[in-house]
Amino acid sequence: MPSNMLHVAIVDYGINNIRSVRNAVEYCGFDPVISQDRAAIEDASHVILPGVGAFGDAMAKLRARGLDDVLERVVREKGKPFLAVCLGMQLLARASEEHADDGEPHRGLGWLDADIRRIRPNDPELKIPHMGWNTVSKMREHPALAAIRPGNLAFYFVHSFSMHCNDERDVVGCAQYGQSITAIVARDHIVATQFHPEKSQDSGIELLGNFLRWNP
Amino acid sequence: MFKVRVIPCLDVKDGRVVKGVNFVDLRDAGDPVEAAIAYDAAGADELCFLDITASHENRGVMLDAVRRTAQACFMPLTVGGGVRRIEDIRALLASGADKVSINTAAVDNRTFVRQAAEKFGGQCVVVAIDAKKVSAEGAPGRWEIFTHGGRRPTGIDAIDFAREVVALGAGEILLTSMDRDGTRQGFDIPLTRAVADAVTVPVIASGGVGNLDHLVAGIRDGHATAVLAASIFHFGEFSVRAAKEYMARAGLPMRLDA
């Protein structure tokens, strides 16, 4: 690794289990830094927003640390390459109905014209969460998917809510689970996956490596 | 297409794989990390470690194995055995486990399941149910929860318990038939189907796999979402890849190399 190489910032906002993202970034040959520090995120070559858990809780944690503003500045204004994973992808939506039964939907970052809704498969035998490996069909090409053979577009999903995009152009890939599941979205220098590339063996590592070598 | 998962399970005691893993190319068959890497290469869809370490002092060894596995294998990892406190879960997840499986502690204290799901999200809370048939032959099936390796009856109905822990937030059920475990006679299909049909979350069938048809039956007849096996893989009798190819030929949707 060249000594002048920039690090990859993995945004730490107090959620559990981001070690696997760091492990995968290291495995790809890059230098990950888990941080909630504005400077560390600003100085990174690439930024990753991981995420597991509940939508409202995650947004509250991001805001409490001022990271919504940091991401707004670093990603949206400065145009740094950005990957959001699982719940991280969902946070890019305007709002989620997760745990919002008794009031207004939780507001997200609103970077994408999209909403998060509970998965309601049309087949009663399909279980929730959508947990396991599923194949992804490409709606369009994207550098993050470069050189991954179509037969290897299978990734590991764990989620009970999914993204619904109002702008079809944002959708790069979809999976089928008794309904269409938005699996990959992208706009400009932003890409996001509902599945976990860091848990998707070779296919996931290839996608992550593609992202880390991407300089839009 | 959504795929059926094949999950090899390793029993780990004091940081060593019990019963060994009989692969030709392993330097150290007792090292759980090496075994995990071999299963990763063989196309396992997920991996399960069951910590059967008796003493609490040696649990750090397991965390180290989890940490090293998570650095080398990029697939979902479930760790169970002796998970009793929120702190146990936090330590396992921080080491790189994706899910933890809770067994006796869920039976002793249902609130623990809810606390775990609230704290870490239901997606990482697996409840492991060990069930034994208590109904007479020919009578409608009834299964009871047993703890302590199947020795201690609890009087709790397995299906009621499965529904209850799902309501409390469990994201998955790992269902083991204590009648079949170690017998190589196949899963207890009526039990598997009864539980799988009763809950909304995925059910992993476990206990009794002796051949590849048993794996197919667990999904097709038992309605499980995933199958877990130990000895048929460890002793090199069947590779995970061969199992998945066999299941694909039987018409099940499997993840195979392109």
Side-chain angles (χ1 to χ4, degrees):
Chain A
M1 202 183 297
S3 59
N4 62 349
M5 203 170 110
L6 294 171
H7 63 260
V8 173
I10 300 169
V11 180
D12 175 12
Y13 53 109
I15 55 156
N16 292 290
N17 202 6
I18 54 182
R19 174 186 280 267
S20 50
V21 176
R22 187 182 74 182
N23 286 340
V25 170
E26 254 168 21
Y27 187 84
C28 290
F30 290 81
D31 175 23
V33 172
I34 295 176
S35 183
Q36 50 177 285
D37 176 59
R38 172 185 286 264
I41 296 170
E42 278 185 351
D43 291 346
S45 66
H46 292 68
V47 178
I48 299 177
L49 181 68
V52 289
F55 188 99
D57 181 51
M59 270 314 295
K61 284 175 167 162
L62 264 187
R63 289 199 186 100
R65 291 163 174 80
L67 287 166
D68 50 342
D69 290 336
V70 172
L71 291 175
E72 177 73 29
R73 180 173 155 71
V74 172
V75 180
R76 296 249 279 173
E77 290 172 23
K78 289 189 158 180
K80 202 152 284 202
F82 177 77
L83 170 67
V85 173
C86 195
L87 180 65
M89 160 168 150
Q90 299 193 358
L91 298 180
L92 306 185
R94 287 183 315 188
S96 170
E97 66 176 24
E98 181 175 351
H99 292 168
D101 304 330
D102 50 346
E104 291 291 296
H106 290 295
R107 273 195 318 112
L109 292 169
W111 294 2
L112 296 175
D113 183 11
D115 293 292
I116 307 303
R117 292 181 218 140
R118 188 176 289 279
I119 301 173
R120 294 181 181 88
N122 57 17
D123 175 351
E125 285 186 11
L126 289 174
K127 303 296 190 178
I128 300 293
H130 170 220
M131 184 190 292
W133 296 80
N134 207 337
T135 47
V136 170
S137 314
K138 260 195 260 190
M139 303 292 117
R140 62 175 168 96
E141 297 297 328
H142 189 276
L145 296 176
I148 304 179
R149 282 179 295 163
N152 285 345
L153 285 172
F155 299 94
Y156 189 80
F157 291 79
V158 187
H159 61 128
S160 302
F161 291 78
S162 73
M163 181 178 275
H164 295 258
C165 290
N166 295 316
D167 188 342
E168 295 278 308
R169 290 170 300 181
D170 292 337
V171 182
V172 172
C174 286
Q176 290 305 318
Y177 193 69
Q179 67 166 66
S180 183
I181 302 279
T182 307
I184 311 173
V185 292
R187 183 188 286 185
D188 305 326
H189 54 285
I190 295 167
V191 60
T193 65
Q194 178 60 65
F195 51 82
H196 289 274
E198 78 282 11
K199 289 287 153 189
S200 297
Q201 288 178 335
D202 293 352
S203 305
I205 293 295
E206 277 189 66
L207 184 149
L208 192 60
N210 284 339
F211 165 72
L212 295 169
R213 289 184 293 272
W214 184 38
N215 287 302
Chain B
M1 186 184 278
F2 188 63
K3 309 294 187 187
V4 167
R5 281 176 283 155
V6 174
I7 309 173
C9 179
L10 294 160
D11 286 358
V12 182
K13 188 177 185 187
D14 300 322
R16 303 289 293 169
V17 177
V18 179
K19 290 188 282 196
V21 176
N22 191 7
F23 292 154
V24 279
D25 47 354
L26 287 196
R27 276 181 295 129
D28 177 1
D31 181 4
V33 183
E34 280 220 31
I37 291 169
Y39 281 132
D40 188 27
D45 297 303
E46 198 167 318
L47 194 64
C48 182
F49 282 164
L50 183 62
D51 188 4
I52 54 171
T53 304
S55 72
H56 201 77
E57 295 75 59
N58 268 339
R59 298 193 60 90
V61 182
M62 188 63 181
L63 294 178
D64 181 59
V66 170
R67 205 171 292 128
R68 290 187 294 127
T69 301
Q71 279 164 0
C73 297
F74 299 98
M75 66 172 155
L77 173 64
T78 301
V79 184
V83 177
R84 295 172 189 287
R85 303 168 308 156
I86 288 295
E87 209 34 62
D88 298 333
I89 301 178
R90 193 190 314 278
L92 285 167
L93 295 179
S95 299
D98 298 287
K99 303 184 237 181
V100 293
S101 103
I102 305 173
N103 179 289
T104 309
V107 177
D108 292 347
N109 175 17
R110 309 280 207 284
T111 337
F112 181 55
V113 176
R114 187 171 59 219
Q115 285 170 343
E118 279 173 0
K119 197 128 207 125
F120 305 104
Q123 84 289 336
C124 68
V125 177
V126 182
V127 171
I129 297 179
D130 294 342
K132 228 172 183 168
K133 192 170 178 186
V134 290
S135 51
E137 207 52 53
R142 208 183 96 75
W143 297 266
E144 229 175 68
I145 306 279
F146 278 68
T147 56
H148 299 79
R151 293 188 306 275
R152 191 175 296 181
T154 63
I156 301 167
D157 181 82
I159 294 157
D160 290 345
F161 181 72
R163 284 204 186 98
E164 197 180 341
V165 293
V166 169
L168 290 168
E172 194 168 43
I173 301 285
L174 169 53
L175 177 67
T176 304
S177 160
M178 299 313 284
D179 298 309
R180 293 300 180 90
D181 204 25
T183 66
R184 303 176 58 87
Q185 290 173 13
F187 299 121
D188 182 337
I189 295 297
L191 165 69
T192 308
R193 186 196 295 229
V195 173
D197 289 353
V199 297
T200 52
V201 302
V203 171
I204 305 170
S206 158
V209 176
N211 63 45
L212 302 182
D213 283 319
H214 292 153
L215 299 176
V216 174
I219 303 295
R220 197 186 49 205
D221 307 326
H223 299 175
T225 305
V227 285
L228 180 140
S231 48
I232 63 157
F233 297 134
H234 300 340
F235 300 134
E237 203 176 334
F238 299 104
S239 70
V240 172
R241 180 160 288 120
K244 289 172 70 173
E245 284 167 357
Y246 187 90
M247 294 170 80
R249 282 197 297 277
L252 297 176
M254 308 304 296
R255 184 177 63 104
L256 299 165
D257 293 338

